[in-house]
Amino acid sequence: GCVAGTGSCLCIAWLLVGTATGQFKRAGFLATGDERTLVEYLTPGWYTATAAGATWQLAEAYLCRPGLDGVGAGLDGGGEASLAAAAAFSPPDALAAVAALGSTGAALGAALGNRKVPGSIPALVRLADARRKPGGGGSTRAVPRRYGTAAAASLAAAARASPEFAGKLLRLDALDVMRDALADDAASPARASAALSALVALVARLCDPSKPDGDPRDLGGLGDLGRNLNRDASTGGGTPSEGGDRDRENPGPAEREHDVAAPTPAGLLAESGLVAACAVALDPARPGVVAARARLENFDDDADAADVDADVDAAWMFDRDVAATTRHAARLLHLPFTHPLPAAGTTAATRAEEALRRYQEQLLAEAVVAGLVQAIDGLRGDDLAAPAQLLSQLVLRSIQCARQFLEAGGLDEGLVRGLLAPQNPAAVLVDSLLAVSQLARLSQRHYPAIARAGVCDRVGRLLTHDDPGVRARTCNLLGNMCRHSGYFYERIARHGVLNSLIARCEDVDRTTRKFACFAIGNAGFHSDALYPELRVAVPPLVRLLGDEEDKTRANAAAALGNLVRNSAALCGDLIRAGALERLVELATGTEAAAE
């Protein structure tokens, strides 16, 4: 049925061409003179169309049969299946043309990942190579940039689906190809996001020794970079410490095991130039993004009422590609912080620590934090997850990164409003709260910027968030906002935050209870300005002197002490709540002994 249907469609097309070109005339379907009859004209067309339809359908059935792992998931789209099948049996130029249709990238990548298209993988790597010049092998014609973008998207889809496929790409110099595509100032957001998506899969594959497909240290396709990484892996890198040469001549079992491990993401990113390439990709003012935005604006100006849907689609695709670029860049740059470190005391551990140090220096030198701050402006929801996680990690790890975050506008009111929006995923809120809290903890010089960002106005709703991690980190932020001085006391009282904070002393989550005590204690440390509002916190703090967690009991005791530190206004409340007896029991261990 599929063969007949496809053949019939092609036959009708043949008939229309014959009619348009005057190959026959309608005269009762009979010919006059030398003119061909309809039947005579249609017969060879029908045979040709039937054969073409059969070949098309058999090719599609071959690629989509159940025995091919991964194709079923990648080719469910019907039309995408046909396009992938057609591309798979075509020369590289036709393969690129089909891939350039855009939405077929995942389907084509899945088809390629099944190793049933000989020669197509190297062809697509060459097509994605921004360094390739016309006449440098293969076709002498200039290749449209959209073909390279589609090729990169196809390879990225297959690499994500199959670590084995990613390993093959590494041996075809794909890491350098994708890095150069990423570092190209003229690369469109679509091309940059495709290259980054592929790089995440390639770096994860190269640095994960648990992946299949041979030796994970197979760096043969990485040129000088591969030789450098192999040298570091065999020598330990850097200057040997005292006894280092002797240790390498006679390594212990654990050290020998780590010396044959895959390179670390930090070492790979530090040596490969990927940090600088990511910094280029994150720049919203680079020529590729500006040109894409200009094309979109020109499209808006030229569109009429009938093109509204196309206008919306173009804008949506541009925003999607820009968000994907930021998301994939953050995922790639975060890999070194999630990679497991070798056992302490080994040569591999020393090498990994040195690589991580060099990597963090590069992040600072390339102003990656500033780039991320600019790139996340305007992102919402899940698109914020990866960049917020990386920003939080960098701000927590380095005072210099924290300063760069602040100087780049990380506490601008609009940006903070977007990061702390209650509807954001819990992970985004936790990471954003951690970054702001770290700034508050580091210095009271950051307090004015935090106040201008309107943080006090936003934390009240987060104290009642459904996620316990969000509630806990909000309490911790409030504690650090009151850590160095009473700068925020009046603002906290004005925004009605204290009632919600005090309620967290009886939260079901123990981490939230711990940080609530910490925040209340700091709210009473610098002056008695908030004592009237903190009066109702005395009973729950007394009850928390019997909490299951040591740190919570300590925080509760310190908070009660701070509530009588600056005046005697709450002494009677503490006595009536039995605080004196409970504090004595806690200090002497009487309660624990009785239990």
Side-chain angles (χ1 to χ4, degrees), residues 361-413:
E361 288 176 352
Q362 285 191 17
L363 291 175
L364 273 171
E366 296 294 341
V368 167
V369 171
L372 280 170
V373 169
Q374 294 180 67
I376 64 175
D377 190 16
L379 298 187
R380 294 291 181 270
D382 291 333
D383 287 334
L384 284 167
Q389 183 183 38
L390 178 59
L391 280 172
S392 171
Q393 183 75 234
L394 295 176
V395 169
L396 288 170
R397 280 177 170 266
S398 165
I399 294 176
Q400 291 88 347
C401 284
R403 184 180 302 117
Q404 199 173 96
F405 176 81
L406 191 61
E407 292 172 352
L411 288 180
D412 286 356
E413 184 177 5

Side-chain angles (χ1 to χ4, degrees), residues 25 27 30-37:
K25 295 181 178 179
L30 297 176
T32 60
D34 294 332
E35 294 169 357
R36 302 170 61 190
T37 66

Side-chain angles (χ1 to χ4, degrees), residues 177-372:
V177 167
M178 297 300 174
R179 179 201 60 200
D180 292 342
L182 181 64
D184 182 5
D185 274 343
S188 67
R191 183 173 179 81
S193 67
L196 279 163
S197 179
L199 284 166
V200 172
L202 294 176
V203 172
R205 168 66 180 86
L206 186 60
C207 298
D208 189 348
S210 69
K211 297 296 183 186
D213 188 38
D215 185 359
R217 292 194 302 138
D218 184 358
L219 308 174
L222 303 185
D224 292 338
L225 170 62
R227 286 187 287 276
N228 290 340
L229 292 173
N230 266 326
R231 183 189 66 239
D232 287 347
S234 61
T235 65
T239 303
S241 58
E242 184 177 351
D245 292 336
R246 182 174 63 253
D247 291 342
R248 281 194 293 277
E249 291 172 4
N250 302 286
E255 193 161 0
R256 194 179 306 118
E257 176 183 352
H258 286 294
D259 279 344
V260 299
T264 65
L268 180 58
L269 294 178
E271 293 285 346
S272 64
L274 281 171
V275 176
C278 285
V280 170
L282 288 170
D283 183 2
R286 66 185 178 84
V289 177
V290 173
R293 185 177 290 110
R295 287 194 297 272
L296 180 62
E297 291 172 353
N298 291 336
F299 182 83
D300 291 344
D301 294 338
D302 296 339
D304 55 28
D307 297 325
V308 171
D309 289 341
D311 185 11
V312 172
D313 287 345
W316 177 83
M317 291 174 65
F318 175 81
D319 291 341
R320 177 202 62 186
D321 293 335
V322 170
T325 298
T326 305
R327 187 171 65 247
H328 293 317
R331 288 178 56 209
L332 178 63
L333 295 173
H334 193 256
L335 286 176
F337 301 120
T338 59
H339 190 75
L341 291 174
T346 63
T347 303
T350 302
R351 186 170 63 248
E353 291 169 1
E354 173 62 19
L356 192 59
R357 183 191 63 77
R358 294 198 313 271
Y359 174 65
Q360 292 184 90
E361 288 176 352
Q362 285 191 17
L363 291 175
L364 273 171
E366 296 294 341
V368 167
V369 171
L372 280 170

Side-chain angles (χ1 to χ4, degrees), residues 479-501:
N480 283 323
M481 287 167 61
C482 298
R483 183 186 189 96
H484 301 288
S485 72
Y487 182 91
F488 283 103
Y489 281 7
E490 186 271 333
R491 288 177 174 83
I492 287 175
R494 179 165 19 103
H495 287 90
V497 172
L498 284 177
N499 288 337
S500 297
L501 176 62

Side-chain angles (χ1 to χ4, degrees), residues 339-542:
H339 190 75
L341 291 174
T346 63
T347 303
T350 302
R351 186 170 63 248
E353 291 169 1
E354 173 62 19
L356 192 59
R357 183 191 63 77
R358 294 198 313 271
Y359 174 65
Q360 292 184 90
E361 288 176 352
Q362 285 191 17
L363 291 175
L364 273 171
E366 296 294 341
V368 167
V369 171
L372 280 170
V373 169
Q374 294 180 67
I376 64 175
D377 190 16
L379 298 187
R380 294 291 181 270
D382 291 333
D383 287 334
L384 284 167
Q389 183 183 38
L390 178 59
L391 280 172
S392 171
Q393 183 75 234
L394 295 176
V395 169
L396 288 170
R397 280 177 170 266
S398 165
I399 294 176
Q400 291 88 347
C401 284
R403 184 180 302 117
Q404 199 173 96
F405 176 81
L406 191 61
E407 292 172 352
L411 288 180
D412 286 356
E413 184 177 5
L415 185 63
V416 171
R417 186 189 310 116
L419 289 172
L420 297 183
Q423 65 270 23
N424 278 341
V428 173
L429 291 171
V430 168
D431 286 323
S432 303
L433 289 164
L434 282 170
V436 179
S437 184
Q438 175 69 356
L439 290 173
R441 190 185 74 82
L442 287 174
S443 173
Q444 64 178 335
R445 291 194 303 271
H446 300 154
Y447 282 178
I450 294 173
R452 288 192 298 272
V455 171
C456 286
D457 188 39
R458 311 192 193 291
V459 294
R461 287 169 289 178
L462 299 181
L463 284 169
T464 57
H465 197 275
D466 291 339
D467 187 86
V470 174
R471 299 195 301 271
R473 294 305 170 186
T474 304
C475 292
N476 189 33
L477 168 59
L478 285 169
N480 283 323
M481 287 167 61
C482 298
R483 183 186 189 96
H484 301 288
S485 72
Y487 182 91
F488 283 103
Y489 281 7
E490 186 271 333
R491 288 177 174 83
I492 287 175
R494 179 165 19 103
H495 287 90
V497 172
L498 284 177
N499 288 337
S500 297
L501 176 62
I502 293 168
R504 300 282 64 80
C505 289
E506 299 181 299
D507 199 286
V508 295
D509 177 61
R510 63 181 185 178
T511 304
T512 302
R513 296 196 300 270
K514 175 180 69 178
F515 284 129
C517 294
F518 164 68
I520 292 171
N522 283 353
F525 180 81
H526 300 286
S527 75
D528 62 356
L530 296 179
Y531 279 11
E533 288 82 3
L534 292 173
R535 186 183 305 274
V536 295
V538 172
L541 286 173
V542 171

Side-chain angles (χ1 to χ4, degrees), residues 538 542 545 560 573-584:
V538 172
V542 171
L545 293 174
L560 289 169
D573 295 271
L574 266 70
I575 293 172
R576 287 189 291 274
L580 185 59
E581 294 81 4
R582 296 302 301 272
L583 286 168
V584 170

